[in-house]
Amino acid sequence: MTNLYPWLTPIYQQITHAFSQGHGHHALLFKAEQGVGAENLVNTIAKFLICQENQKPCGHCHACLLMNAGNHPDFHLLAPIENKDIGVDQVREINDMVNQHAQQNGNKVVLVQGTERLTEAAANAILKTLEEPRPNSYFLLQADLSSPLIATIYSRCQAWLVNVPPQDIALSWLQSQCDEETKQILTALRINYHRPLSTLAFLQQGLMEKRRAFLRQFWVYYIRRSPLELLPLFDKELIFQQIDWIAAFLSDALKDKLKIKTNWICQDLTKGIQQFNQKQTTLGLLKANQIIQTMRLNLIQINAVNQEIILLDGLTKLITEVFEK
Ligand SMILES: [Zn+2]
């Protein structure tokens, strides 16, 4: 049977219902948000198409057993190798296999992971196959939501959007996976853009506690005006998350100033933010948000050797251009 995440069930049922009715599309494209478990959905659909029993995927027929062991001869995975783009040779190999008869007398399934990483030549090669559907051959293409796709591929597929789930569904799933308090889970969900799997990893890695500790130090830096005290607490592995934590604090402060009550990220720090805001102005907070965004951008664009200088520069500007103004 399936082990689908609950928010993926409706889309899974719609797709498999169409196949059961005999009008499933031969090429399904899944444009997916990160951290929502799209691979779980796509893999389960592949298993559904490969299974040869009535209750699909049954998990115990010969096809299912081969599939679960990673040995089904009519299932093919096309994915970037060693993080390189998917090349035309890889696609040709797949095309050859699709042109042959199925070895297990069932469906042939090609799963493409990282569709946005097909080179132009590879995309053109796969396009030919998508344009001339073979009987019992199915393509499942998974692509990152934020990456652009070649329009011709898009036009040959039936596209599905795999987005973040509604908050109540994500919350009840997370409550079944961890012991955190509801307020903590909701804050973690917001920090992680409502992506349930990212949120769970965040909670399990103890990042909620690290964030609180880091923001406490940010407060100390703010009170003492001491960038050199905060600087060593930036962690190379977490630096962008740490900046996001500060950015969320400052953007919530701006929302508070503007009397916007909704969509706060730091629900667990409302008192701290209000206290902080007694000494801030709207213009100052706008400036502070800009400084953090610039710092983030510079960290992405400029050589890692200069990370400390960029951080120190940003933290100093917050003091001279916002807190002391
Ligand atoms: Zn089966």
Side-chain angles (χ1 to χ4, degrees):
M1 284 315 294
T2 63
N3 278 315
L4 266 184
Y5 296 119
W7 56 90
L8 298 175
T9 307
I11 186 168
Y12 175 78
Q13 281 172 343
Q14 252 180 294
I15 289 169
T16 54
H17 181 72
F19 280 112
S20 304
Q21 300 289 305
H23 37 73
H25 200 278
H26 74 283
L28 301 174
L29 172 67
F30 299 87
K31 289 215 80 180
E33 180 66 78
Q34 292 171 15
V36 300
E39 51 291 333
N40 174 241
L41 173 70
V42 180
N43 285 327
T44 313
I45 293 170
K47 287 179 180 177
F48 173 91
L49 290 168
I50 286 289
C51 176
Q52 300 204 12
E53 290 291 322
N54 287 326
Q55 287 293 327
K56 299 169 195 290
C58 72
H60 54 71
C61 72
H62 186 57
C64 278
L65 293 177
L66 285 173
M67 186 70 181
N68 288 339
N71 281 329
H72 199 291
D74 299 317
F75 172 77
H76 307 291
L77 177 68
L78 184 60
I81 298 171
E82 288 172 358
N83 209 20
K84 290 193 190 101
D85 284 346
I86 303 172
V88 68
D89 291 339
Q90 277 172 274
V91 174
R92 284 198 186 116
E93 223 174 284
I94 296 281
N95 282 348
D96 287 345
M97 288 185 284
V98 173
N99 284 327
Q100 289 159 15
H101 280 290
Q103 296 188 36
Q104 293 285 324
N105 288 321
N107 290 328
K108 286 173 283 182
V109 177
V110 177
L111 199 165
V112 188
Q113 273 174 359
T115 304
E116 71 278 1
R117 310 233 5 220
L118 290 160
T119 63
E120 203 182 332
N124 284 328
I126 210 165
L127 195 60
K128 281 207 179 106
T129 313
L130 295 180
E131 280 169 342
E132 298 163 14
R134 301 277 189 291
N136 305 109
S137 297
Y138 297 96
F139 280 79
L140 307 174
L141 301 97
Q142 193 186 329
D144 192 63
L145 186 61
S146 56
S147 310
L149 269 190
I150 297 174
T152 42
I153 291 215
Y154 207 97
S155 69
R156 298 293 161 197
C157 299
Q158 184 184 65
W160 294 84
L161 186 66
V162 190
N163 220 327
V164 295
Q167 180 170 294
D168 54 333
I169 293 178
L171 176 63
S172 68
W173 179 76
L174 285 161
Q175 282 169 329
S176 73
Q177 302 293 314
C178 68
D179 304 325
E180 300 280 340
E181 289 171 39
T182 303
K183 205 178 189 182
Q184 299 297 326
I185 296 178
L186 285 175
T187 302
L189 257 175
R190 293 195 176 93
I191 295 169
N192 290 284
Y193 309 103
H194 294 271
R195 298 165 178 166
L197 301 185
S198 315
T199 305
L200 184 61
F202 184 86
L203 291 166
Q204 286 174 338
Q205 289 162 17
L207 287 174
M208 202 66 195
E209 195 37 60
K210 278 195 182 159
R211 165 182 166 274
R212 257 194 306 269
F214 181 76
L215 287 177
R216 265 197 296 272
Q217 291 306 314
F218 179 76
W219 188 263
V220 171
Y221 141 83
Y222 162 67
I223 297 290
R224 294 193 200 157
R225 312 286 199 243
S226 55
L228 288 170
E229 252 184 310
L230 187 61
L231 193 61
L233 301 175
F234 281 92
D235 176 338
K236 274 210 179 334
E237 302 293 317
L238 289 177
I239 192 163
F240 286 101
Q241 298 214 46
Q242 288 174 317
I243 288 171
D244 283 349
W245 298 341
I246 299 176
F249 181 89
L250 292 171
S251 77
D252 283 352
L254 182 58
K255 281 185 196 135
D256 180 55
K257 225 14 152 198
L258 297 171
K259 310 233 178 312
I260 300 170
K261 302 281 178 209
T262 51
N263 293 323
W264 280 43
I265 294 171
C266 310
Q267 304 256 338
D268 55 340
L269 301 172
T270 46
K271 281 197 186 123
I273 286 170
Q274 281 156 358
Q275 193 189 339
F276 172 76
N277 259 358
Q278 288 170 3
K279 298 208 172 147
Q280 310 307 322
T281 63
T282 307
L283 272 181
L285 288 169
L286 274 170
K287 181 79 199 168
N289 278 281
Q290 282 168 4
I291 291 170
I292 293 292
Q293 293 316 324
T294 307
M295 189 160 102
R296 193 175 207 293
L297 210 63
N298 286 342
L299 282 168
I300 293 170
Q301 290 171 348
I302 300 171
N303 182 332
V305 178
N306 294 320
Q307 267 187 355
E308 287 195 323
I309 297 171
I310 295 167
L311 290 170
L312 189 57
D313 182 56
L315 295 174
T316 308
K317 276 192 179 133
L318 276 182
I319 293 174
T320 56
E321 296 178 24
V322 182
F323 304 151
E324 299 268 289
K325 228 172 158 119

